[in-house]
Structures are given as C-alpha cells and as structure tokens.
C-alpha cells in the first residue's frame, strides 16, 4: 500500500503532467492561429468552373472570362503558395508556379507576380485572391514566344500566275526534269508545294495537286475567310462568314441536277476552271472577287477562345478548344447544351487511354452505324494516338516565310495515315451526279496510287500581312 507521502508525490506528478498537456495544447492552438490569414487547410483545394452548379473559380485571360478550367491552390504556412493551371495556357497541359509570396488578411490571401511556360516559354503576369471556397485569378500581358514576329492580321493570298516550278519532260532522254514554266499558279489562298520522283510518270498527279487542288481549294477557302489574326496572347480569331458558298454563278443550294440549264452552268464552270490551262481557264482572282464582293458576302469576327496558337520545338501548333467550339455551334443554331455534360465528356476524353477510347468508339459505331465513328474506329492504333495527340496538344504545323508570304502547313508525314481511307470515299463521291465518279477516278485515286512517289507534300494556307 502507498503511504501518504507517495500519494502526495503522485498527485504532484499528475498535476504537472496535466499542466504540460494544457500548455502544449495552448501552444498548438496559438500556432494554428498564428497564420496571417485563414487556416491554410481551408483554402488549399482544387478550384474549377467546369461545372456551373458548383463553380468556385473565376479566371480571366487578358480580360476574357475562361470557363471549363481548373486551378490548384495550396499553402502550408500562409506565407507562400503553389498554383497549378490545367490546360489554361496554349501548349501547357500543366503549368505549376511554386513558392509564390502571398499576403493574408482576415478573409483570405492575395498574390501577384509573373510566370513563364515550362514547355512553350510563353510569358504572363498574374494576380489573384483566395478565400474559403473561392479562387479568383487574373492573367494579363500574356505573350507567346515569337509573338513579336508572328502576331498580326493576315489576309489570304490572291491567286497569282507567273513563272514557277514545273516538271518538264526532256525531249532527248524522255525523262522528267525539274524546271520552270510560264502560266503557273505561284500563289493562292490554299498553299501547296510538292516534289515527286522524277523517274515516275507523275506529271498528271503533280498538276492535279499544284494546280487544280490549289485553285479549287483557294477558291472555296476565300469564300469562308476574309482574314486571320494571330494575337500575341495566343488567340486565333478570324473574319468568317456562314453565307452560302458559290460555284460559278450559282449558290450550292441553287444547283439542280434535274435542271439542264443549272447543270450546263456547272459543267461550263468546271470545264473552264479544272480542265483548261491559264489564261483561257484555271481559277483566277476574279473568280474569288465574283464569289465574295460580287454577292455582297458578309463576314463577321469569330469569338475568342475557340482556337489558339503557340510555338514549340520550332513548330507552329494550332490548338482547338473543341468543347467551346461545340457550344458555340449549338448556340449559333439556337440550341442549348448542358455544359456539365460537356465538361464530363471532355474530362473523359482527355483523361482516357487512347486505345481504350478507340475500342469504345468501335462499339458505339457498331450500334449506331455512323460512318464517321466507323472511320475513326477503323484507324490503326498509331494513327488514332496521333489524332488523340492533336486533340490534346494541337495540330503541329510547319511555318515558312518568303517574299511577303507566310505559309502555315502540314507535311506528307502528317497526311500519310489518312491516305489508306481515300478509297472509302467512293460511295460518297458516287452520290454526286455526273461529276462525282469522274472526280473520284481522275483525282482521288491517282493520289492514292501515286502516294509513294511523292517525296514532298506541303498543304496549308498562304497568308500575307493585311496592311
């Protein structure tokens, strides 16, 4: 049994122990309240405006509100913070800023500074504030690398004829050689540059691609676009039109396959433009003027945030915001779309495994009998992964400048995966009376059969600075 002295000593020890615990608790309480603002755990979170019903992020990009985005904010002691942007800056799937000084008050923390893209080298300023349940970030002075050289408003090139590169048969050897000829289309809104094996009889294919495709493509493209603007912050905007396109004197809707007069106009136009050489025939700048100014075609500026550009590894990337484009198209048709559903679909696509996504599309296409889904599902894994990369990162393009022209184009390597599907266009072309089968046999199939003889093929857009 304990004597009285031992009992008194134990009571003293217990009191000391309890006092120590109380002191420690007081110290811990004192530390937790020692932050310059709210408890960090209350503001450390993922903030998003993808889902309208629970949006807790306000994000502006050079003054324009961005939606469908997510940003992480985290702080440990309320003195510095880490901020991570997801798919906010063109070409930067994830961009993390670390050790940002923050200033706290009773309601939240404020911060500001400047940053640089990890992959693209783009620069920007930022300012923001976080409170319990809400993050606001303003991004300003955003500049893509090379923006000083690239940012401009560009017009589509005119159709110009002159002396240009051509395949010429040597009368002595009977073989083709590279040379020059007069009356060549040396510029057009659609840019085409091509080399072909001289040992092959590819003169017809060369003429089709560099003359007919460039001419027809430029004629149609100029009816859709008036100019294109590459803004310093990565926005791509354009003056475009939804007015119906023309084929010669007729709007597409006016072409009547059952009306001999209508078909005669089509036949005459096609004959002069596709089959007769310049200057008797061929597409000319006056054709574009007739199809634009002649019918008072009305162009309007495109919304911001549908397309972006950035430079990386000496490539020009065209990044499309597909969810924003789909929503815009639906709005222009007077329809609404559930943005929460769009956010779910976007996350599912971007975060899925490409092969798994391809298998899902294959199953869906089998049930819906959809030709586009069927074509996507029929791509080999390597091609599908390439397309998947284009959706996530943007379409890689080459850029060239010469004599006041700026060329943005894709190369043969980017086009090669799609060539095996050209024969599958036959049913579609067969649906175009009179000319469909002829165009398929005379132009599409020669391209398919002669693809291996093409040593260089650049297809894109030919731009000039709009003064």
């Amino acid at each position: 049994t304990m004597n009285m002295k031992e009992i008194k000593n134990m009571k003293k020890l217990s009191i000391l122990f309890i006092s120590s615990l109380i002191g420690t608790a007081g110290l811990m309480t004192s530390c937790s309240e020692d932050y310059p603002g709210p408890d960090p755990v209350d503001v450390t979170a993922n903030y998003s405006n993808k889902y309208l019903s629970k949006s807790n992020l306000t994000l502006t990009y050079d003054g324009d509100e961005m939606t469908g985005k997510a940003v992480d904010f985290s702080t440990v002691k309320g003195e510095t913070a880490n901020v991570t942007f997801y798919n906010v800056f063109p070409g930067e799937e994830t961009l993390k800023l670390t050790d940002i000084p923050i200033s706290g008050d009773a309601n939240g923390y404020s911060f500001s500074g400047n940053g640089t893209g990890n992959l693209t080298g783009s620069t920007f300023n930022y300012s923001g504030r976080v409170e319990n349940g809400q993050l606001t970030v303003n991004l300003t002075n955003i500049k893509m690398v090379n923006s000083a050289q690239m940012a401009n408003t560009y017009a589509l090139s005119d159709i110009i004829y002159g002396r240009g590169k051509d395949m010429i048969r040597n009368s002595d050897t009977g073989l083709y050689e590279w040379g020059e000829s007069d009356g060549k289309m040396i510029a057009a809104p659609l840019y085409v540059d091509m080399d072909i094996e001289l040992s092959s009889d590819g003169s017809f294919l060369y003429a089709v691609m560099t003359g007919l495709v460039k001419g027809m493509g430029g004629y149609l493209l100029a009816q859709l676009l008036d100019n294109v603007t590459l803004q310093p912050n990565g926005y791509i905007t354009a003056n475009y039109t939804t007015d119906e396109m023309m084929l010669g004197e007729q709007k597409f809707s006016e072409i009547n396959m059952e009306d001999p007069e209508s078909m005669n106009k089509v036949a005459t136009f096609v004959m002069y433009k596709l089959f007769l050489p310049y200057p008797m025939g061929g597409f000319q700048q006056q054709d574009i003027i007739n199809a634009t100014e002649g019918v008072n075609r009305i162009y309007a500026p495109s919304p911001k945030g549908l397309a972006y550009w950035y430079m990386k590894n000496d490539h020009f990337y065209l990044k499309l915001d597909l969810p924003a484009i789909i929503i815009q198209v639906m709005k222009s048709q007077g329809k609404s779309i559930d943005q929460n559903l769009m956010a779910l679909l976007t996350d599912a696509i971007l975060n899925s495994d490409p092969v798994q996504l391809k298998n899902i599309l294959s199953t869906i296409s089998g049930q819906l009998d959809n030709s586009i889904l069927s074509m996507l599902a029929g791509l080999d894994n390597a091609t599908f992964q390439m397309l998947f990369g284009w959706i996530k990162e943007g379409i890689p393009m080459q850029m060239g400048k010469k004599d006041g022209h700026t060329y943005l184009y894709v190369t043969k390597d980017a086009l090669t995966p799609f060539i095996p599907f050209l024969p599958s266009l036959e049913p579609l072309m067969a649906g175009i009376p009179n000319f469909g089968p002829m165009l398929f046999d005379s132009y599409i199939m020669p391209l398919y059969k002669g693809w291996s003889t093409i040593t260089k093929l650049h297809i894109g857009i030919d731009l000039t600075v709009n003064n």
Side-chain angles (χ1 to χ4, degrees):
T1 59
M2 293 184 184
N3 55 35
M4 291 300 296
K5 185 177 181 180
E6 291 173 330
I7 291 174
K8 288 181 179 180
N9 288 336
M10 287 197 66
K11 285 183 177 180
K12 289 180 180 180
L13 290 172
S14 298
I15 291 171
L16 287 172
F17 180 68
I18 292 171
S19 298
S20 298
L21 287 177
I22 292 174
T24 302
L27 181 62
M28 291 176 64
T29 303
S30 174
C31 288
S32 67
E33 295 176 349
D34 197 27
Y35 302 118
D39 192 319
V41 75
D42 291 334
V43 294
T44 295
N46 173 264
Y47 296 85
S48 169
N49 55 21
K50 295 181 179 181
Y51 305 97
L52 300 181
S53 59
K54 53 181 181 179
S55 174
N56 57 6
L57 171 66
T58 300
L59 178 66
T60 62
Y61 190 94
D62 267 347
D64 299 313
E65 185 174 357
M66 297 188 85
T67 59
K69 302 300 179 182
V71 178
D72 285 344
F73 179 92
S74 64
T75 181
V76 176
K77 297 182 179 180
E79 298 173 351
T80 62
N82 296 336
V83 178
T84 304
F85 299 94
Y86 296 99
N87 292 305
V88 171
F89 297 93
E92 303 281 352
E93 185 175 357
T94 301
L95 197 160
K96 186 173 185 179
L97 305 176
T98 59
D99 297 325
I100 299 172
I102 58 177
S103 175
D105 55 41
N107 297 317
Y109 295 94
S110 300
F111 54 92
S112 63
N114 53 73
T116 303
N118 300 322
L119 301 176
T120 64
S122 57
T123 59
F124 56 92
N125 296 339
Y126 61 84
S127 63
R129 180 169 175 81
V130 64
E131 297 182 358
N132 190 355
Q134 183 66 37
L135 173 65
T136 299
V137 181
N138 299 310
L139 303 169
T140 58
N141 199 30
I142 305 164
K143 294 188 182 300
M144 301 295 106
V145 167
N146 289 359
S147 61
Q149 294 78 32
M150 291 293 297
N152 243 317
T153 295
Y154 297 89
L156 299 180
S157 172
D158 289 343
I159 293 180
I160 301 172
Y161 285 84
R163 188 167 182 81
K165 185 174 71 173
D166 194 12
M167 290 182 67
I168 301 173
R169 187 186 291 275
N170 187 309
S171 58
D172 295 328
T173 65
L175 301 176
Y176 281 99
E177 299 174 351
W178 286 116
E180 290 186 340
S181 297
D182 292 321
K184 304 299 296 182
M185 188 183 294
I186 58 176
L190 187 71
Y191 172 66
V192 179
D193 187 17
M194 180 182 186
D195 287 337
I196 202 163
E197 290 180 2
L198 293 174
S199 60
S200 67
D201 187 7
S203 59
F204 175 74
L205 180 57
Y206 180 80
V208 166
M209 293 301 298
T210 59
L212 302 184
V213 171
K214 182 191 291 187
M216 176 64 86
Y219 173 72
L220 297 176
L221 182 61
Q223 295 186 52
L224 297 174
L225 292 177
D226 181 50
N227 58 51
V228 177
T229 298
L230 304 183
Q231 298 190 13
N233 63 7
Y235 279 143
I236 298 178
T237 55
N239 270 3
Y240 76 106
T241 182
T242 56
D243 291 349
E244 191 174 1
M245 289 196 295
M246 306 285 294
L247 187 65
E249 301 176 8
Q250 302 178 95
K251 295 179 180 179
F252 275 28
S253 63
E254 295 173 344
I255 298 174
N256 183 356
M257 299 297 180
E258 305 298 325
D259 181 5
E261 183 179 353
S262 175
M263 291 310 300
N264 183 58
K265 290 180 180 179
V266 172
T268 301
F269 182 81
V270 171
M271 178 64 67
Y272 272 88
K273 302 307 170 185
L274 296 184
F275 301 114
L276 291 181
Y278 176 84
M280 293 179 58
F283 285 95
Q284 301 180 35
Q285 185 62 23
Q286 188 61 46
D287 296 314
I288 292 178
I289 294 173
N290 294 342
T292 53
E293 300 173 17
V295 295
N296 195 28
R297 191 172 294 276
I298 299 174
Y299 296 87
S302 64
K304 296 178 181 178
L306 302 184
Y308 297 85
W309 70 275
Y310 67 93
M311 301 291 295
K312 185 176 71 173
N313 299 329
D314 295 326
H315 279 72
F316 177 97
Y317 281 79
L318 169 62
K319 178 72 169 66
L320 303 177
D321 190 332
L322 292 181
I325 291 173
I326 293 172
I327 291 172
Q328 181 64 34
V329 169
M330 297 290 283
K331 286 181 178 179
S332 66
Q333 296 176 348
K335 302 177 182 178
S336 61
I337 188 169
D338 188 334
Q339 291 189 228
N340 291 337
L341 179 62
M342 180 59 64
L344 283 171
L345 177 61
T346 303
D347 285 345
I349 291 176
L350 294 181
N351 295 325
S352 66
D353 175 76
V355 176
Q356 182 181 17
L357 177 62
K358 178 171 171 287
N359 291 334
I360 293 173
L361 288 176
S362 179
T363 301
I364 296 175
S365 68
Q367 296 174 352
L368 299 180
D369 192 27
N370 182 281
S371 59
I372 295 178
L373 290 178
S374 178
M375 184 188 77
L376 291 174
L379 296 172
D380 61 79
N381 288 345
T383 302
F384 190 87
Q385 286 181 326
M386 181 188 73
L387 286 177
F388 189 80
W390 288 5
I391 294 174
K392 293 187 67 173
E393 300 178 14
I395 302 171
M397 306 178 75
Q398 301 283 347
M399 178 185 67
K401 292 190 175 186
K402 183 180 180 181
D403 298 332
H405 291 254
T406 298
Y407 309 107
L408 298 174
Y409 57 90
V410 295
T411 65
K412 181 187 176 183
D413 289 341
L415 298 171
T416 295
F418 303 101
I419 296 304
F421 295 93
L422 290 182
S424 64
L425 296 177
E426 184 173 14
L428 177 65
M429 301 300 292
I432 304 176
N434 300 320
F435 295 101
M438 178 196 68
L439 292 174
F440 179 80
D441 292 336
S442 300
Y443 301 108
I444 293 179
M445 285 310 292
L447 180 62
Y448 171 74
K449 294 177 180 178
W451 190 256
S452 61
T453 66
I454 299 173
T455 57
K456 180 180 80 172
L457 181 59
H458 298 163
I459 296 182
I461 188 168
D462 185 341
L463 304 170
T464 60
V465 174
N466 191 347
N467 295 320

